[in-house]
Amino acid sequence: MATYNKNRSKVACTVCRARKTRCDGAKPKCSFCLENGCVCNYEAPQGPTVETNIETILTKISAIEICLGIGVQSPPSIIVPESTREKDRSGLPSLTIKDDQFAAIIFDTDFNLSTHARSLELQRAMAYENSGSVAIFRHSPHELVQLFFRHSYNWFPILNKREIFEKLPLMQNTVRTGSSDSILLLMVLAIGGLNANDAIGIFQAEEFHSQALAILGCVLEEVSLQSVQCLILLSMFYGLKIMPMKAQEYVSIGCIKMQNLIEIRPVNKSVDKSGDVIYDLEEYETRAFWSLFILESEYAGTLHFANTGLSSYANNIKFPSLREEPYHWPGSPESDSSSIDEPDPHFLSEIGVRKIIDRTCYTVNNSESYTANRTSFAPIVAKELQSQLDEWYHCLPDSIKFDKSKVLVTNTRHSTRALIRAQYFATVMLMYWPCMMDIIVTGECQTQEHQEAFKIAIDSYIQLMLSATSVRLPEVPTTWPHAISVFAMTATIIRMTQRTTLAYDKPEELESSIQHAFAFLESIQSSPSIRYFTVILRNLYNSRG
């Protein structure tokens, strides 16, 4: 299994740090300084920093993977092809709209919710048209790029900030060259326009997006880092527009191109002592890989589409460092760039929790304790998964660590903070999904363990809603799958509390959380599928009697 720290020192010498290259940390001189006759010095660390926190989380992710057994036998891809859905009908239903049994048990309906959502969203996508007007730069390109880096970049930090700002003069050209660099810059400006969250910003976003699509052919033809970055930005744009089918399509194309990029560069392949192939990608290639890994995982949890194969590389790709040279740009309305240049460990935390979620789904859905006529909840499995999730939590850097027992403060620096907390509690609910399914199917809390799990699930749901519904939508490039998670979790809790006589000890908090969920979903009415899901959720809620 590939781990992050195979040949990397946690403290780089001053020479390697200045060159922004890897340092092996050898004393008294590292290998580079020894070979090149440089003066090799190591600066003593001045207490915890964001950089050392990032190193810690990278190391811990590798340790968690080993504990979970991912290095020994990885779970198969979480993407389920259409042709295999019927085969799994006798197994434990999954907590996802993709599963026919989920719809049948929760909503008493015999059609697949994911397939229905696709048909609704495709109708909207076909009717979607960009404005043909000439762009009016009410927001300067400089300002739009800053908005992008301030609001969208933290989710998927795939670009070099200095390079983007140095390319801004290209915007003075009246004729766009058909190159991936032009599309890259246009999509950064388009996303920045959406981040502005005002009428003129949205207008500019559509104009830049239209210009990018007009020269998209060059991206589809070439295999390069820039072409992959363009596809990720297109997916982010459609994610912010809450157009999941278009977002997912560009993710899938990006995943294929990423694999082609990996395979056409054999010079970067190596074999470790265990015989595993290691792909030593450049920093921004590594970031692009893990961004696609996260995006594909997000959409695969809610939509049916073909397995691209990207996840099969996950154990052979190192984690990114996220080290960047600060870049201070003059003459801007938002000239304070401190919050933009500081490395944000959210991206690495997201990789870690995504791996735990995938492992949780695989473990729960393949539990040998489940049969069609037998209870499926295994408390020992839930507790082991919980211990691994808590290990991930304890290694979170202080800058993004959250209080699990308190209400989230709404004026957090960025929506990434709210989402990482929401994902913690969503993962807990997934761990106790077999227990919730037992209660829904039988109407009974059969054991003391079931009663305890009943309370844990609702406690987690309340905390999940406090965080999940506090995100700022203009910042979230995966709004649709996030909203679907809110919908599915809320539907499960409503149905579970309908089916059992066991009462939750804080009914007012539960009711408030359900109303938060409704308010959140009703704020995303531009999506026809979310509108539909809100209606059937309201009907389920009103049927409580």
Side-chain angles (χ1 to χ4, degrees):
M1 171 185 171
T3 56
Y4 175 76
N5 290 342
K6 283 190 174 182
N7 299 302
R8 190 185 191 110
S9 170
K10 289 188 177 181
V11 179
C13 73
T14 53
V15 174
C16 291
R17 187 179 296 276
R19 295 178 66 250
K20 296 187 288 184
T21 57
R22 294 183 180 181
C23 180
D24 60 15
K27 303 290 180 65
K29 284 190 173 186
C30 72
S31 299
F32 178 84
C33 291
L34 184 62
E35 292 175 4
N36 294 275
C38 302
V39 177
C40 190
N41 293 316
Y42 292 90
E43 295 179 353
Q46 303 297 318
T49 64
V50 171
E51 185 173 286
T52 57
N53 282 338
I54 289 174
E55 293 284 1
T56 299
I57 201 167
L58 290 170
T59 304
K60 287 288 189 178
I61 289 173
S62 294
I64 289 172
E65 288 179 333
I66 294 172
C67 292
L68 293 173
I70 295 176
V72 178
Q73 182 179 6
S74 298
S77 171
I78 61 172
I79 304 172
V80 182
E82 292 280 354
S83 59
T84 64
R85 280 193 295 149
E86 296 300 322
K87 298 178 182 178
D88 298 329
R89 291 184 64 85
S90 62
L92 174 67
S94 300
L95 205 169
T96 169
I97 63 170
K98 289 170 60 175
D99 196 306
D100 293 336
Q101 292 186 83
F102 176 81
I105 292 170
I106 303 297
F107 292 101
D108 296 323
T109 184
D110 59 357
F111 63 86
N112 186 274
L113 294 177
S114 178
T115 303
H116 188 58
R118 177 178 287 275
S119 66
L120 292 172
E121 293 295 339
L122 283 176
Q123 292 174 25
R124 178 194 176 200
M126 292 175 66
Y128 177 71
E129 293 182 359
N130 291 325
S131 168
S133 303
V134 177
I136 304 171
F137 289 124
R138 295 284 294 277
H139 293 293
S140 71
H142 202 280
E143 182 182 359
L144 292 176
V145 173
Q146 285 200 62
L147 287 167
F148 168 83
F149 281 119
R150 197 172 297 277
H151 297 288
S152 290
Y153 181 77
N154 287 352
W155 300 100
F156 303 110
I158 60 173
L159 302 176
N160 183 298
K161 298 169 186 171
R162 178 180 294 276
E163 289 182 1
I164 294 299
F165 276 97
E166 288 176 349
K167 290 175 181 176
L168 271 181
L170 292 175
M171 291 307 301
Q172 305 304 318
N173 298 331
T174 56
V175 179
R176 305 273 184 261
T177 59
S179 67
S180 55
D181 278 344
S182 295
I183 297 177
L184 203 67
L185 188 55
L186 287 167
M187 288 311 303
V188 167
L189 294 170
I191 294 173
L194 296 181
N195 293 150
N197 197 31
D198 57 28
I200 191 62
I202 294 172
F203 173 82
Q204 290 177 255
E206 297 293 356
E207 185 64 25
F208 288 126
H209 168 248
S210 179
Q211 294 176 34
L213 290 186
I215 54 175
L216 184 60
C218 61
V219 164
L220 300 178
E221 292 172 0
E222 69 178 57
V223 177
S224 66
L225 172 61
Q226 288 77 16
S227 66
V228 173
Q229 290 170 329
C230 289
L231 293 165
I232 293 172
L233 292 176
L234 280 162
S235 176
M236 292 173 64
F237 177 86
Y238 285 117
L240 288 165
K241 293 284 292 182
I242 317 179
M243 302 180 72
M245 308 310 156
K246 285 182 174 288
Q248 174 263 307
E249 287 173 358
Y250 283 111
V251 168
S252 292
I253 298 171
C255 288
I256 297 297
K257 281 193 177 292
M258 187 73 235
Q259 292 173 77
N260 290 338
L261 182 63
I262 292 171
E263 293 299 340
I264 66 175
R265 301 183 59 182
V267 68
N268 288 332
K269 285 184 184 179
S270 61
V271 180
D272 65 9
K273 294 180 180 179
S274 63
D276 292 330
V277 175
I278 306 301
Y279 299 93
D280 190 14
L281 304 179
E282 298 295 332
E283 171 67 13
Y284 286 95
E285 293 171 340
T286 304
R287 296 188 192 187
F289 173 87
W290 288 111
S291 295
L292 288 166
F293 176 86
I294 293 169
L295 283 166
E296 185 176 45
S297 181
E298 277 286 325
Y299 287 104
T302 52
L303 295 172
H304 295 288
F305 56 92
N307 183 358
T308 67
L310 184 83
S311 60
S312 65
Y313 290 84
N315 291 333
N316 306 96
I317 304 292
K318 295 182 179 181
F319 299 109
S321 70
L322 297 190
R323 293 186 180 88
E324 294 185 10
E325 177 185 357
Y327 179 61
H328 302 281
W329 46 84
S332 167
E334 299 183 28
S335 58
D336 179 13
S337 61
S338 58
S339 64
I340 299 178
D341 290 322
E342 178 186 345
D344 191 329
H346 170 267
F347 184 54
L348 297 169
S349 305
E350 177 68 17
I351 295 171
V353 76
R354 182 61 51 187
K355 284 175 170 285
I356 294 174
I357 289 172
D358 288 355
R359 172 54 64 171
T360 298
C361 293
Y362 177 70
T363 301
V364 168
N365 293 333
N366 290 275
S367 174
E368 295 181 357
S369 65
Y370 181 81
T371 65
N373 300 310
R374 187 169 179 268
T375 59
S376 58
F377 180 50
I380 190 171
V381 174
K383 289 179 180 178
E384 175 58 26
L385 291 169
Q386 178 74 61
S387 70
Q388 302 306 328
L389 180 63
D390 287 338
E391 176 70 11
W392 167 84
Y393 169 78
H394 290 307
C395 79
L396 286 176
D398 291 340
S399 59
I400 61 172
K401 185 169 284 189
F402 51 84
D403 191 325
K404 293 186 288 184
S405 62
K406 293 182 179 179
V407 176
L408 184 72
V409 178
T410 56
N411 61 346
T412 52
R413 169 188 166 194
H414 195 272
S415 291
T416 51
R417 303 300 185 263
L419 193 62
I420 205 70
R421 187 177 189 273
Q423 290 203 340
Y424 174 90
F425 291 105
T427 307
V428 175
M429 288 190 69
L430 287 172
M431 293 170 182
Y432 288 93
W433 164 246
C435 175
M436 291 189 283
M437 181 55 60
D438 281 349
I439 296 172
I440 292 170
V441 171
T442 66
E444 300 176 359
C445 284
Q446 302 167 358
T447 66
Q448 181 65 33
E449 287 85 359
H450 279 76
Q451 294 176 22
E452 292 174 357
F454 173 84
K455 185 177 187 308
I456 291 172
I458 299 182
D459 285 344
S460 299
Y461 171 78
I462 290 172
Q463 293 298 327
L464 167 63
M465 288 303 110
L466 288 171
S467 301
T469 61
S470 68
V471 298
R472 293 185 285 272
L473 294 180
E475 286 184 343
V476 184
T478 53
T479 295
W480 193 83
H482 179 65
I484 294 300
S485 177
V486 170
F487 161 77
M489 296 293 187
T490 302
T492 299
I493 290 296
I494 291 174
R495 178 60 89 184
M496 182 177 70
T497 54
Q498 286 177 342
R499 292 284 293 167
T500 180
T501 57
L502 189 65
Y504 182 61
D505 59 354
K506 292 176 281 189
E508 296 85 3
E509 291 187 21
L510 175 57
E511 179 63 22
S512 175
S513 298
I514 292 174
Q515 295 308 318
H516 272 99
F518 276 119
F520 178 75
L521 294 172
E522 288 167 355
S523 71
I524 315 176
Q525 294 301 288
S526 62
S527 166
S529 59
I530 298 298
R531 290 199 302 270
Y532 170 76
F533 289 143
T534 305
V535 169
I536 65 173
L537 186 65
R538 180 70 71 179
N539 292 340
L540 178 66
Y541 174 80
N542 291 335
S543 69
R544 294 189 302 176

